Amino acid sequence: MIPRYKAIITSLTALSPTVVDLVITRPDGLDFPEFQAGQYMTLSFPTHTRLRGPRSFSIISSPTDRSSLRFGIRIHGSYTSALRNLQPGDPVLVTGPFGQFTFDPARDRSAVFIAGGIGVTPFFSMIKTATDLKSENDLTLFYSVRSMDDAPYVSEFEAIQEANPHLRSVYAVTDGAVPQGSGNYVAGRINAGLLVQVLGNTLGSQTFFLCGPPAFMKAMIKTLQGLGVSIRSIRTERFGVGSQEFIERGTPIPMLMFATWGIMAMLVFGVVFKIERNKRALSASVPSSAVTLPAVNTNTTPNTNVNKNTNSSAVLNAPANTNTAPAQVKPAPAPTVTPTIPPVQTPIRPRTTVS
Amino acid sequence: MATHNISQTFTKRFQALGTTVEGGIRTDAKAAQMVFDEIEQQVKTFESKFSRFRGDSELSMLNANAGQVVTVSEDLMELLSAARDTWLMTEGIVDPTIGQALITAGYDQSFETLSQVSERTHNTSPAPRRTMADVDLDEKNRTVVIPPGMVMDLGGIGKGFLADRLIRRLEKISNDFWWSLGGDITVSGTDADGQPWTVGVQDPRHLEKDVYNLKPPAGCWGIATSGIAKRRGVRNGQAWHHIIDPRTGQPATTDIVAVTAMAPRALEADVAAKTILILGAKSGLTWLRRHQNFEALIIKSDSTTVTTDRMTRLLQIL
C-alpha cells in the first residue's frame, strides 16, 4: 500500500505575491519516506473545508534531509487561495511519493533544467540533491520568470550556486526590470539563441528536464528539437493551471524524422488496419433489438437455478486445462448481466468483466 | 512458496459478494482443496462484515452510528485506511463516502435483488458534499467517527482490497494461479503450458463476448475492468449507473464505456479503472501515467480504443 503519513504544518511563508512555501514535519519526529528528487506528494488538509480534497505538489526539499518536506505552491484559484488560511500546527495528510520525473545523479551526468514559473519546484529538489551529495554532475538551470518581484527561490538558487561549482544558472525575465551587474540575468524569453550561447556544443550530450505551463513546454520542446536535440533526451513534466497537473513522458515517443517514406507508409497502413479491425469488432458487438439466446456450452453443467441470489456453491474441482486456449473461449452469458436470460454455467477461466 | 513439477490446474467457483468468485491454481489436489476452502470462508466472512446491504454487517453498524465514536475491528480499520489511501491517491475521485449518492442514484440494494426499472420515489435532493476528509480515523485507538448523514460504501475498493489479501494466501501454495472476484482478476505465474495466463477482456457492448485476450507479463498482476454497461437501470424515467462522480454526487458523465486497468496490485488496478472511467479518457490517461507500471485499455463511447504503449503489446484482438 502507498505510504501515508500524518503531518503538521511547521511553516507557511509567502515567497512572493503568488507563491507560498509550505514546510511540514511528522509529529512523531520520524523522517518522511524515501523519495527521489523530482517526485511529488499528495496533500490534504482535513481541518479546512476548502482544502480537504487531496492535491499533488512537487517536493522541493532534497531527499538528503527527510526530517521535513517542503513545497512551493502558486496561488491560483479558489483552492490554492485557501492555502493562505493555513496555520502552523494544522494537520496534513500526506501520501506518496509519486511520479517518474526524477533526476538521478548517476544517470544524468550532464543535465539542463528548463523551468517556467512555478515549474521550477522539482528542479530545486534536483539541484539541491546534487549539491548536497557533492556530485560533479554538470548542471545548468534556465529559469523563466515574469518579473523579479515574482521569482521564488532565485536567492536560494544563487546561494546553492556558490556551494556548487558545477552549477550554472540563467534567469530569463520576460516582463520587468533585469538586475544589473550579474551575468546570470537576461531580458526576454528562453530561446534558441540563449540555449546555444550558454550550452554551446554540449547541446547534444545533455539530458533536458522541462517543467512549466503547457504553452511554455510546447515552445521549449519545439525550440530544442529545432536545435537538433533528440526527443529521447527531453524529459517533461507539465504543470496545469491552479492545481498541479502533470503529464509525464517516461518513454518518449521515438521521432520518425529519418524514417523512409516506405516505413512510414507501412506504419500508417498498420495503424489503419488495426483501427479497422477494432471498429469491426466493436460494431459487430452493438446490441441488436432482437433477443439472442445464449449458446450453451455443452461441456458445462447448465445452472437451472434462476434465482441468482443463491449462495450455493458450484465447485468444479477437477483438473482443468481450459484456462488459456483461445479456441475454447466460447463464453456463455455472464449470469449476473441479464435477469431475463437464465444463467448458464460458463467455463472457469480468467476473464475480466465490467463491474 | 514455489512448487515444482506441477502440471494440473484446479479450479473453484462460488457465489459471494453479489457476484461470481472463481479461480484456478496449479498445485496438487490436496493443497488446492485446502486453499479453496480457506478462500471461500475468507470471502464470505469479508462479505458478512463489510457489505453495505447487510443490516448486520460491521459497516452497516458504523453507518447506523454516524456522528458517534465507534470502535471497529482491525480488519475494518485496515480497510478504511486503505480507502483513505485510495482517496488520496486518486485526488478524491474514488471516495467511499458516496454511499448516500449511490442510494440517491438508485443503487439502494444489492444489484442481485435490484430491479433495473423502478418507479419508487426517492429523496433526490443533493446530499451534502462530504468526503473522506470528514471521516475521523484514529488508527491507534481503532475508533472511527463519520459525520451524521454520511453513508460509507466500501464496494468501490472492497474487491481489490480482498484480492490482495487472497494473494498472500495463494502465494503460500503456488506461484501459478489466477483468481477472480466478479471479474476483477489477479494473475500470477503461468498456466499448465508454461505460458502466461490468458485473460479474456469482456466486450462492454456485448457482454457475453470477449473483445481482447490479455497476456500479462511475468509476475503478479491485478487486472480490473470498470464500465457503465452493468449495474445500471432506470429510475423514475432517469437512467442511472453505479459509477458515481464524487465531485458532483451524480452518476459519472464520461466518454468511456469501459476501462481495463492492469497494475501490480489488485486494489490499484481496481482503483485505476474507476478513476479513469470517471475522469474520462484524456484526463484519466494523464492520471495513469503518474503511476509506475499502471497500464490501461480504454474503450470509448465512440467505439474507438485508447491504450498505453505497453498494454498494446499485451493485447490480442479477437
Side-chain angles (χ1 to χ4, degrees), chain A residues 4, chain B residues 45-52 56-64 70-84 96 132 135 137-139 142-146 152-155 157-158 161 165:
Chain A
R4 174 173 48 77
Chain B
T45 301
F46 185 91
E47 181 179 25
S48 68
K49 290 181 77 169
F50 304 127
S51 171
R52 176 166 65 85
D56 60 347
S57 73
E58 188 179 6
L59 181 63
S60 293
M61 297 293 180
L62 177 64
N63 284 331
V70 179
T71 302
V72 299
S73 66
E74 283 183 23
D75 284 345
L76 182 54
M77 181 54 80
E78 192 180 339
L79 183 52
L80 290 169
S81 296
R84 189 167 58 183
M132 194 63 198
V135 178
L137 296 185
D138 183 342
E139 283 146 296
R142 247 181 2 188
T143 59
V144 182
V145 182
I146 65 174
M152 298 204 71
D153 180 272
L154 299 171
I157 67 156
F161 176 87
R165 282 191 158 191

Side-chain angles (χ1 to χ4, degrees), chain B residues 12-32:
Chain B
K12 165 94 170 179
R13 171 183 286 162
F14 57 92
Q15 294 294 315
L17 306 170
T19 186
T20 301
V21 178
E22 58 191 350
I25 186 167
R26 291 178 59 208
T27 184
D28 60 80
K30 187 178 174 186

Side-chain angles (χ1 to χ4, degrees), chain A residues 260-305:
Chain A
T260 64
W261 72 267
I263 293 172
M264 290 177 72
M266 285 172 67
L267 284 172
V268 170
F269 176 78
V271 169
V272 170
F273 183 68
K274 274 189 171 180
I275 290 171
E276 280 302 311
R277 279 180 64 183
N278 226 351
K279 279 185 177 173
R280 286 184 190 184
L282 287 168
S283 61
S285 62
V286 174
S288 65
S289 56
V291 175
T292 306
L293 290 175
V296 177
N297 188 331
T298 54
N299 292 327
T300 60
T301 307
N303 181 357
T304 56
N305 189 347

Side-chain angles (χ1 to χ4, degrees), chain A residues 161-174:
Chain A
Q161 191 167 354
E162 286 186 11
N164 187 344
H166 306 286
L167 171 66
R168 288 177 292 180
S169 302
V170 178
Y171 307 103
V173 185
T174 59

Side-chain angles (χ1 to χ4, degrees), chain B:
Chain B
M1 183 202 310
T3 54
H4 304 284
N5 301 320
I6 300 300
S7 59
Q8 291 184 331
T9 302
F10 292 86
T11 58
K12 165 94 170 179
R13 171 183 286 162
F14 57 92
Q15 294 294 315
L17 306 170
T19 186
T20 301
V21 178
E22 58 191 350
I25 186 167
R26 291 178 59 208
T27 184
D28 60 80
K30 187 178 174 186
Q33 187 60 57
M34 184 179 69
V35 75
F36 286 161
D37 290 346
E38 287 181 21
I39 283 179
E40 183 169 6
Q41 186 59 46
Q42 195 172 345
V43 171
K44 289 184 172 174
T45 301
F46 185 91
E47 181 179 25
S48 68
K49 290 181 77 169
F50 304 127
S51 171
R52 176 166 65 85
F53 305 115
R54 293 180 62 140
D56 60 347
S57 73
E58 188 179 6
L59 181 63
S60 293
M61 297 293 180
L62 177 64
N63 284 331
N65 288 283
Q68 299 178 45
V69 179
V70 179
T71 302
V72 299
S73 66
E74 283 183 23
D75 284 345
L76 182 54
M77 181 54 80
E78 192 180 339
L79 183 52
L80 290 169
S81 296
R84 189 167 58 183
D85 291 343
T86 298
W87 175 73
L88 288 164
M89 184 177 82
T90 62
E91 300 194 356
I93 294 299
V94 175
D95 191 334
T97 64
I98 57 165
Q100 187 56 51
L102 280 169
I103 293 168
T104 304
Y107 194 31
D108 54 356
Q109 52 191 296
S110 167
F111 194 77
E112 293 170 297
T113 57
L114 186 68
S115 166
Q116 286 186 294
V117 178
S118 170
E119 297 302 329
R120 282 183 293 144
T121 57
H122 279 264
N123 173 15
T124 55
S125 60
R129 289 287 302 279
R130 299 211 183 262
T131 73
M132 194 63 198
D134 296 297
V135 178
D136 181 8
L137 296 185
D138 183 342
E139 283 146 296
K140 190 177 174 185
N141 296 311
R142 247 181 2 188
T143 59
V144 182
V145 182
I146 65 174
M150 177 181 280
V151 177
M152 298 204 71
D153 180 272
L154 299 171
I157 67 156
K159 284 192 291 185
F161 176 87
L162 176 59
D164 284 330
R165 282 191 158 191
L166 298 182
I167 291 168
R168 291 181 220 159
R169 181 69 193 94
L170 288 161
E171 282 177 337
K172 290 180 180 173
I173 301 296
S174 171
N175 289 331
D176 303 313
F177 60 84
W178 65 271
W179 205 264
S180 167
L181 298 176
D184 287 359
I185 303 276
T186 300
V187 290
S188 173
T190 59
D191 63 14
D193 298 324
Q195 298 298 312
W197 297 102
T198 300
V199 180
V201 179
Q202 188 180 37
D203 186 335
R205 295 180 187 273
H206 208 184
L207 298 174
E208 72 273 23
K209 286 185 177 178
D210 288 352
V211 67
Y212 290 101
N213 273 343
L214 168 60
K215 279 187 177 289
C220 187
W221 294 92
I223 301 165
T225 298
S226 194
I228 58 173
K230 285 171 72 175
R231 297 173 197 264
R232 63 192 302 168
V234 177
R235 171 143 289 161
N236 298 328
Q238 295 288 316
W240 66 269
H241 60 77
H242 75 303
I243 302 292
I244 297 293
D245 184 341
R247 297 168 297 184
T248 62
Q250 301 293 318
T253 303
T254 175
D255 60 346
I256 295 173
V257 177
V259 183
T260 297
M262 187 175 82
R265 291 170 184 270
L267 177 56
E268 291 170 341
D270 198 4
V271 165
K274 286 187 179 66
T275 303
I276 295 169
L277 183 69
I278 292 171
L279 287 176
K282 189 176 177 185
S283 300
L285 276 176
T286 302
W287 175 87
L288 183 88
R289 287 183 179 125
R290 289 157 45 186
H291 300 275
Q292 202 163 15
N293 290 325
F294 280 29
E295 307 294 335
L297 156 70
I298 299 171
I299 299 177
K300 296 173 67 176
S301 45
D302 62 3
S303 294
T304 58
T305 60
V306 181
T307 61
T308 55
D309 290 347
R310 192 181 190 191
M311 180 65 100
T312 305
R313 296 193 293 273
L314 304 174
L315 290 171
Q316 175 196 5
I317 195 165
L318 297 175

